[in-house]
Every structure is written in structure tokens, then in C-alpha cells.
Amino acid sequence: MTDLSLLVEAAAYICAIWSFFVFIVQSIGISRIFASCSYRPRPPVTPSLPKDQVPHVTIIRPVKGLEPELYHCLASTFHLDYPLDKLTVYLCVSEKTDPAYPVLLKLAQDYRQFDVRVFVEHDDPLLHGSAGHVDNLGPNPKIRNVSRAYREAKGDIIWMIDCNIWVGKGTAGRMVDKLLGLRHDGKQGQPYKFVHMLPLVVDTVSLWGSPSPQSENETLLSSSSPTSEGGLPTYLSRNDNTLLARIRNHGGGRLDEMFMATTHAKFYSAINTVGIAPCIVGKSNMFRKSHLDTLTDPAQNPSLPAHKTPHPTGIDYFSNYICEDHLIGDLLFRSKLPGLKNHGLVFGDLAVQPTAGMSVASYIGRRVRWLRARKWTVITATLVEPGVESLLCCAYCAFALTTIPWFHERWGVPQTWAAMGWIWLATVALWVMGDWFTYRRLHAGHSTEVDERTPGFARGTSNRGGAPGRSFFLEWIPAWVGREVLALPIWTWAVLLGATVNWRGNKFLVRMDMSVVEYDKPRTQKLSAVRSGVPSPNGGVRSRSNNRQD
């Protein structure tokens, strides 16, 4: 056997091991999804406890612009089955000129029986007061948005929920149950440091004709949707006369819906089932303020390097990063807190995100931002990501089966290109069916607690008034193929060909130490940020811009 043949066979064995590993991980994820999303979850324990034993929860919701169904998503916070006097809701916006600000005022008025408050970043005394300074925090717009709400939180439990997320009525109790280790049998389970939810995107726009009744009446014309002079939402006011135009202007929502209900859901569920590494997204996360305050204080956490300058603690610690959700989870995951487990995914409850009017270009931009923001935080996972996608992973499998002698000798697998092509098609077909059943299970809404206040996009396809199901050949397969074909080009562009991201109206340069610098800052500030560094949460060096405290 020649050296080249040995190399080819060695590569085949590596491909076999990798593809087998990916198939096993997918199987774990799919099994967990079917086990947890096939029935209504049990009522939570926490709300039924004596009042003095029910922990107070501060819900913080950062808001930026008019997201689809914004009012319904934020209103879900006020429909939770949790003692009213044990909930505090903080709605956060950067400035009063934000188009979402009137919606927040309306919510505060409609639910004035709650402990609810609207925070405006431009009124934060830390940033704009007589003793404050705009550079007291780093450039991360989300951290700047929620900083005051976090500092003024009531109680110890913080629940951060993005503004475009809808949550079910029993979610708060089950999140607290998981965090505290409360069980239905009355026994005390092991509490967690951090709990979170599986996100699910629901596209509310029809690509094949006029909007469906559910989308038109309940989603597209909601009180939170920006409208044109003719009364239609602005994202339907574009020139959508042809099918191609509709796909170009609105198809990104289907691609995002597909990604979140297949590839992302399978691996997110699998990794959090095994619990070998922190795997979170910042959609709906709950943790203890006391833990984060302690672990971000060098005086109390010896694993953090000492700082010569004053250093903010708590959530402000991460203001120089754009990937704060992962860094918070990673810090809690790595830190030793006796008696507590690391991360707990609340299986069955979904963080539902409605979307509408997302163009294909917007979807690509969103995926590029995700990858660039996270590539230096989880670099190994980022580098191997193309290998977990269907088209490439199935090619690995087909190459291995038609190259390794054992399969030819024992099973008679031909060692030809034609055989490799047929095996690739067969494994892709199996992958398609796994994704189809996983997608249908997640979007069916079997685990959703539906009542008269549940909006149509959150009901699922199996409940009355819910979103219509996707046709397998006309809608689902085109979206699946589009998502899979775009995966590798998006990864290549994001990981290998750039380091800037556009987020919340700002452009950032993501540096190798995971810090970010505002791209449109004056050159002198950029140079200052590059030349002055302070230790990062995992021991690296991160930048500081001008007098910004970090």
C-alpha cells in the first residue's frame, strides 16, 4: 500500500468516527426533543409554596425597535402564573425616541397592577448623570441598555428575556423550580447556577400568496407592528409582486425558522442533555445576581486577575464584549459554587420568537453576526461547525463507507464514486426525515400551555387558532435545501473573511481576545482601545476605549 493510500484510508477512518459521532449527538438531541415536547409540562412547584418561601424574580427585557409582535411578546411577561407581588418587570430602552418606547408606556399602563418600570438608558445616572460618564461602560448596547435595571433589581433572581421572545404562563415557575432544585415529590433536588430555554423561531408571513388569516389578523396587524400610510405593516409594503421577490424579501424568516428548529435545536438539546460544555443563547436566561456579582469581583473571585483601575461587577463586567450571553454562562459554568450544578435547560418550555419580513440578506447577516461574535469564544466548535451540517457530514460518511476496506469485505460496499454518490443521497434523505419530524414536533405546540391570551404564532400547528403547518414539498423542503446550501458559504464568509459585525444599529470590530471596539469611533479612540488592555474573564487581554471603565 502506498503512502497516499494510507493517508486516504486514515482520512476515511477519521471521517467515519466524526460522522458516527455527529449521528449519535443528533440522536440524543432528537430523542430529548420528542421526550419533552410531546405533552404539556407539569405545573410548577414554586407558585404553590407559602408566600414567604416564594423567591422574588426580577424580569429584565431589553428593547430595541419595533420587533414583530412586540406587544404580545412583552405582554407574556405579565401573564405568568407567578405571585404578583413576587415579580418585578423592568422594560429597558436606549432612548425615548426609539419607536418601541410608546409600546413600553402602553404596557406599563395596561399592566399597572404589576411592579413594572420603564428604564431609559439616556436617563441612567451612571452614564449621563452629573457624576456619571458615557464611557463608564463598554460599547455593548445590550449591557448599556439593561445596566441600571440590573443594578436596581429586587431580590436575587434575575431573568433576562429578549424583547422578541414570547414565554408561556408556567415558564417562570418551572425556571425557578429548575434553578432552585424544587421537585414535585417534595424532595430537594440539586439546584443549578444557570437555567435557560430552547429558542424557537416562527415565521408569520406566507411566501406563496397573501398572508394567512392567522398572520394577517393576529401578527402582521398587531399593535406593535410599524405601519405604512396605507395601514399595512412596513415589512409588507415592499414590492412583492412576484414569488421571487417575496422569497428574496421575506424568505430569511423561513431560513431562520428552519435553522432554529433543526440543526440548532438538535445540537442545543443534545449538548445541554449531556452537560459537558456551556451551550446557551441569550434569549431567556435565569441566574442569581449574587453569584454574578461575586464572580466578577476580583476581590472575591481569585481566578480573576487583579485590576489597577476600578472595575465594575455584575453584568457591567461584560460591557466590552458583544457575546455577553455566552461569557456569563461560561463564567458561571467554570466557577466553583459548592452544591450547585452548572447549566439546566428547562425542557418542554420554548422561548418563541415570531419573525416577519426578514429578507434572505438579513438572515445571512444575522448568521454572520452570530458566527463572528462567537468564533473566538468557542473557537473549536466554530472551526468544526461545517462538519456537523448535513451535506458535508453525509459526504464524510459516504467517503468512509466506500473507502474503508472492512465495509467492502464484510458488507460488499463498492469502492466507486457512484456508490459514494448513492450513499450520500441515502444519508441525506435520512437526515431530511429526522429534521422534518423534529421540526414538526417543535412547531406542533404540544408542550404549549394555550389559553385565550396565547397569540396565534405561539399556539403551534396542533392547537386551534395556531399557525398553519408547512407543506413538505412546497414550503419545507425548499427552506431546508436553502438553509443547508447557504450554511458553508455563510460560515466561510463569517469565520475566514471578516471580523466586523453590525448589531443594534452599531458596527463593531470583534478582536481575538473577545473584546469589541465600536468601528465608527474616531481613529484616536480605536488606537487607545488597541493599546490599553485589561484581563478578560478567561485570563486573556481585552481592550478598553478611552476612559471607559472595565
Side-chain angles (χ1 to χ4, degrees):
M1 184 178 289
T2 65
D3 291 343
L4 179 59
S5 298
L6 287 174
L7 286 174
V8 171
E9 188 172 326
Y13 277 104
I14 293 173
C15 288
I17 294 170
W18 175 257
S19 56
F20 179 76
F21 168 75
V22 172
F23 294 151
I24 290 297
V25 171
Q26 282 199 99
S27 299
I28 294 172
I30 293 173
S31 299
R32 173 59 83 169
I33 288 169
F34 270 79
S36 59
C37 295
S38 298
Y39 54 86
R40 299 284 190 276
R42 298 179 66 177
V45 174
T46 303
S48 62
L49 296 174
K51 183 168 290 190
D52 60 344
Q53 297 180 26
V54 177
H56 197 100
V57 177
T58 298
I59 301 175
I60 301 176
R61 305 205 66 166
V63 181
K64 175 70 173 180
L66 287 171
E67 295 280 354
E69 289 290 358
L70 178 65
Y71 186 91
H72 285 306
C73 289
L74 295 176
S76 67
T77 309
F78 303 101
H79 300 158
L80 296 166
D81 287 341
Y82 204 84
L84 191 65
D85 58 343
K86 297 293 184 177
L87 278 179
T88 293
V89 180
Y90 290 154
L91 307 173
C92 308
V93 68
S94 62
E95 53 191 3
K96 293 180 180 179
T97 57
D98 190 298
Y101 183 65
V103 179
L104 306 190
L105 295 181
K106 177 173 172 54
L107 282 159
Q109 176 64 25
D110 291 348
Y111 297 97
R112 55 186 177 274
Q113 70 273 27
F114 281 79
D115 180 14
V116 56
R117 185 174 175 184
V118 177
F119 283 102
V120 180
E121 179 189 325
H122 282 198
D123 295 336
D124 187 348
L126 177 68
L127 300 173
H128 303 282
S130 58
H133 194 280
V134 69
D135 283 338
N136 277 343
L137 293 177
N140 184 312
K142 186 173 180 179
I143 298 295
R144 296 175 70 90
N145 193 335
V146 304
S147 173
R148 187 179 182 184
Y150 178 90
R151 299 194 311 267
E152 299 186 17
K154 300 178 181 178
D156 193 31
I157 295 179
I158 303 290
W159 188 9
M160 296 278 294
I161 316 175
D162 282 359
C163 67
N164 56 2
I165 294 298
W166 179 92
V167 293
K169 61 183 180 180
T171 307
R174 283 185 287 271
M175 292 276 281
V176 175
D177 286 355
K178 188 90 170 182
L179 186 73
L180 301 184
L182 301 179
R183 295 169 35 172
H184 285 87
D185 59 8
K187 297 180 180 179
Q188 177 64 47
Q190 193 170 6
Y192 284 82
K193 306 174 188 175
F194 182 98
V195 297
H196 52 124
M197 299 170 65
L198 177 68
L200 184 72
V201 170
V202 178
D203 185 29
T204 60
V205 177
S206 171
L207 296 178
W208 306 110
S210 59
S212 65
Q214 179 270 333
S215 298
E216 182 177 20
N217 296 332
E218 296 183 28
T219 302
L220 301 182
L221 301 182
S222 73
S223 60
S224 64
S225 300
T227 58
S228 63
E229 292 182 3
L232 269 179
T234 54
Y235 47 73
L236 287 185
S237 300
R238 292 178 283 192
N239 184 13
D240 296 332
N241 296 330
T242 66
L243 176 60
L244 183 61
R246 290 189 65 83
I247 292 174
R248 182 179 64 250
N249 293 337
H250 307 291
R254 292 300 173 88
L255 298 175
D256 202 28
E257 178 185 272
M258 183 63 63
F259 170 69
M260 297 301 288
T262 54
T263 298
H264 183 270
K266 290 182 297 184
F267 286 96
Y268 197 81
S269 297
I271 295 172
N272 282 290
T273 296
V274 179
I276 60 174
C279 182
I280 61 169
V281 293
K283 300 294 184 183
S284 175
N285 303 326
M286 181 180 286
F287 52 88
R288 296 170 183 82
K289 185 175 185 291
S290 58
H291 288 170
L292 197 62
D293 289 345
T294 299
L295 295 174
T296 54
D297 182 1
Q300 301 183 70
N301 184 3
S303 65
L304 292 179
H307 298 278
K308 296 180 181 180
T309 57
H311 187 83
T313 60
I315 207 164
D316 293 349
Y317 186 91
F318 305 94
S319 62
N320 273 311
Y321 301 92
I322 202 170
C323 196
E324 77 292 328
D325 52 354
H326 174 81
L327 292 177
I328 290 171
D330 182 64
L331 179 62
L332 290 168
F333 189 93
R334 291 184 297 103
S335 301
K336 294 182 179 180
L337 296 173
L340 275 72
K341 299 176 74 174
N342 286 320
H343 289 184
L345 183 60
V346 182
F347 289 101
D349 284 304
L350 301 173
V352 182
Q353 176 187 340
T355 186
M358 179 187 289
S359 67
V360 173
S362 296
Y363 164 77
I364 293 173
R366 172 180 165 85
R367 292 291 300 128
V368 167
R369 175 173 65 83
W370 261 36
L371 285 164
R372 287 183 179 173
R374 284 170 166 77
K375 70 179 179 180
W376 297 120
T377 59
V378 283
I379 187 168
T380 302
T382 301
L383 291 176
V384 302
E385 183 170 315
V388 306
E389 301 289 359
S390 62
L391 304 184
L392 190 54
C393 186
C394 290
Y396 291 162
C397 180
F399 171 69
L401 292 177
T402 56
T403 303
I404 296 174
W406 187 86
F407 294 107
H408 176 68
E409 296 167 0
R410 292 295 184 91
W411 293 357
V413 177
Q415 294 182 321
T416 63
W417 289 108
M420 181 176 171
W422 283 111
I423 292 173
W424 180 80
L425 285 174
T427 50
V428 169
L430 289 173
W431 195 300
V432 167
M433 297 313 299
D435 280 356
W436 166 245
F437 289 118
T438 302
Y439 175 98
R440 289 192 58 180
R441 181 61 48 168
L442 286 169
H443 280 268
H446 293 312
S447 62
T448 303
E449 299 168 299
V450 176
D451 60 21
E452 68 280 358
R453 296 174 300 191
T454 306
F457 67 83
R459 290 174 174 264
T461 59
S462 66
N463 294 307
R464 181 177 298 177
R470 307 294 185 213
S471 167
F472 180 77
F473 289 106
L474 290 179
E475 296 184 271
W476 193 86
I477 278 292
W480 188 91
V481 171
R483 212 296 300 178
E484 299 297 322
V485 169
L486 284 172
L488 184 57
I490 288 174
W491 180 90
T492 303
W493 176 257
V495 177
L496 304 181
L497 301 177
T500 61
V501 297
N502 290 285
W503 190 44
R504 293 178 173 245
N506 300 319
K507 192 173 184 179
F508 299 93
L509 174 67
V510 184
R511 303 179 66 227
M512 291 179 64
D513 61 4
M514 300 178 298
S515 64
V516 293
V517 179
E518 288 182 79
Y519 199 77
D520 55 355
K521 285 280 187 181
R523 181 170 176 79
T524 55
Q525 293 190 22
K526 289 184 187 177
L527 291 175
S528 174
V530 171
R531 291 171 180 169
S532 64
V534 293
S536 72
N538 11 355
V541 175
R542 57 179 178 169
S543 66
R544 185 173 62 214
S545 193
N546 274 0
N547 298 321
R548 183 175 298 134
Q549 298 298 312
D550 124 296

